[in-house]
Amino acid sequence: MTVKKAKFRLQLARQKKVVKHVGLSFNVSDPGGWFINPVVSEACGETMDYGKLFAYLFRRFGYPNFGWDGYKELTKYILTTPHKDLFLCVVPFVGDSTDLHFSFLTPFDVYLAAENYGQRFRHAWEMRAFDWQEQRGLPHWMPGWLNFCTSASRESCADAPEYTNWRDTTKWMFLPGGPSDPHYELRKKASEFFKALYADYEAVERRPGYVERATDWREWDDADPLKSFAEAGFAALQDLRRPVRVRDAAIDAFGEVKESRAMKSLDTVNEAPASGYPSGNLGNVATKEFADLHGLIMKMGKGNARRGIAKMMALAQQS
């Protein structure tokens, strides 16, 4: 587990562009068969006023740190969590559903590990099915199929490796193609072979289902790679209850905080440094130009905004 045990506070995130991030879901099935997110629902409930959430985000963090769908979404903030490989994405949804307000991003290998854990018994069954098929013998056209898969993959990537094991090509067997495809007959044979393999082996051993997780994320197996991320996600969402001051009052993501709690709380944070500065107005009057300028600043600073601005101002003073 890589969750930091030190005191945590949400911050604006800076994702590494070299790392591919994808969505990470904590959804599970409840007894009624509905999907629920136990991490989000426990931390924030099922509904949350999007206006109060937006006001809190703007007051605490300032301007959004990532672009968003200007037609569908109000804004987007991507924030840190206690886990270095997990980010909290907040998009206040006009409809108040917390399932739509909050999502999580993680590197692809983390997502894959979580998915594979839920399908671990299926994968083991599949390996036994492949062993069983090899004992029975492979069809005579398999060498030609391996050559086809190698050629097809190299059409999109010249450095793609050569396929030498039929097990690695099963992902291609789902696509039989159409009659106009010059390789249609071969692809059709591969597709039918794969379907028959699953059906025939299931008569020998029933295929396991997906392993469902408990509705309480704390009850998940310690070996489950998703558990430490659920813990980090919950901690991040809980930090939305940390008050931020507005004059002599305070708010959190759920609205105004009672005076007694705000006054006694040692965890109340100050407003964002951008508060009071109309920095975003440049984007209002020259949207594309300001976005281009932002990109140039970040490029000159090699990802560091302060360094980029300093370099640009130095160049401007020389002209």
Side-chain angles (χ1 to χ4, degrees):
M1 183 183 296
T2 57
V3 175
K4 298 177 182 178
K5 296 300 183 182
K7 195 170 186 179
F8 169 75
R9 285 192 178 188
L10 284 167
Q11 296 179 10
L12 294 173
R14 292 178 60 189
Q15 291 176 279
K16 296 179 180 179
K17 291 186 177 181
V18 295
V19 179
K20 178 183 178 182
H21 288 84
V22 297
L24 185 67
S25 173
F26 299 116
N27 285 355
V28 298
S29 296
D30 68 9
W34 297 94
F35 282 113
I36 61 170
N37 188 321
V39 175
V40 172
S41 60
E42 181 185 344
C44 301
E46 295 182 359
T47 61
M48 191 173 176
D49 188 299
Y50 71 90
K52 294 175 181 177
L53 175 59
F54 174 76
Y56 177 77
L57 292 168
F58 187 75
R59 184 62 174 176
R60 179 172 175 180
F61 302 108
Y63 296 98
N65 57 334
F66 279 83
W68 63 93
D69 187 321
Y71 172 68
K72 297 179 181 178
E73 301 169 338
L74 283 174
T75 187
K76 177 187 289 185
Y77 288 79
I78 298 183
L79 308 173
T80 59
T81 75
H83 201 303
K84 66 180 181 63
D85 286 330
L86 185 70
F87 297 95
L88 171 61
C89 180
V90 188
V91 178
F93 169 72
V94 182
D96 294 342
S97 171
T98 53
D99 275 344
L100 297 176
H101 286 331
F102 305 111
S103 60
F104 293 91
L105 299 171
T106 194
F108 181 73
D109 59 342
V110 173
Y111 160 82
L112 192 60
E115 282 296 299
N116 286 340
Y117 188 80
Q119 300 193 65
R120 61 193 183 280
F121 297 126
R122 279 184 178 177
H123 291 324
W125 178 91
E126 190 173 67
M127 292 301 103
R128 292 192 294 273
F130 292 169
D131 291 340
W132 178 77
Q133 181 62 55
E134 288 175 351
Q135 291 172 5
R136 298 174 69 197
L138 297 175
H140 66 86
W141 47 261
M142 191 60 75
W145 170 253
L146 291 173
N147 291 334
F148 162 73
C149 291
T150 298
S151 300
S153 62
R154 287 179 176 173
E155 287 180 2
S156 57
C157 180
D159 297 329
E162 179 182 2
Y163 283 104
T164 58
N165 189 327
W166 72 276
R167 298 185 183 208
D168 298 329
T169 69
T170 54
K171 61 185 178 182
W172 293 77
M173 294 180 178
F174 289 101
L175 307 170
S180 61
D181 187 334
H183 302 285
Y184 173 68
E185 290 300 326
L186 179 61
R187 298 180 73 165
K188 182 180 178 182
K189 288 178 181 178
S191 177
E192 292 174 347
F193 163 78
F194 188 75
K195 292 177 182 177
L197 165 58
Y198 266 50
D200 292 347
Y201 188 70
E202 192 155 19
V204 176
E205 178 189 353
R206 185 175 180 181
R207 187 184 183 207
Y210 187 88
V211 181
E212 295 289 347
R213 295 177 170 91
T215 54
D216 184 345
W217 60 269
R218 293 180 180 82
E219 296 178 1
W220 295 353
D221 294 340
D222 289 338
D224 188 340
L226 195 60
K227 187 172 184 177
S228 63
F229 289 89
E231 180 184 352
F234 182 77
L237 291 167
Q238 283 285 86
D239 201 63
L240 292 172
R241 297 182 182 275
R242 189 186 302 278
V244 59
R245 71 179 187 182
V246 183
R247 197 177 177 180
D248 55 354
I251 60 172
D252 64 15
F254 299 85
E256 186 175 358
V257 175
K258 291 183 178 180
E259 183 179 355
S260 58
R261 178 188 156 205
M263 294 299 291
K264 293 178 181 178
S265 176
L266 299 177
D267 292 331
T268 299
V269 294
N270 294 340
E271 63 277 7
S275 297
Y277 290 92
S279 312
N281 192 47
L282 280 175
N284 290 334
V285 297
T287 305
K288 185 180 183 304
E289 294 83 356
F290 185 59
D292 292 341
L293 177 63
H294 178 273
L296 183 59
I297 288 172
M298 297 305 291
K299 182 178 180 180
M300 293 182 69
K302 296 181 178 180
N304 185 302
R306 291 180 183 274
R307 187 186 302 131
I309 291 173
K311 287 184 177 181
M312 184 161 286
M313 291 182 69
L315 288 174
Q317 290 170 359
Q318 293 173 9
S319 61

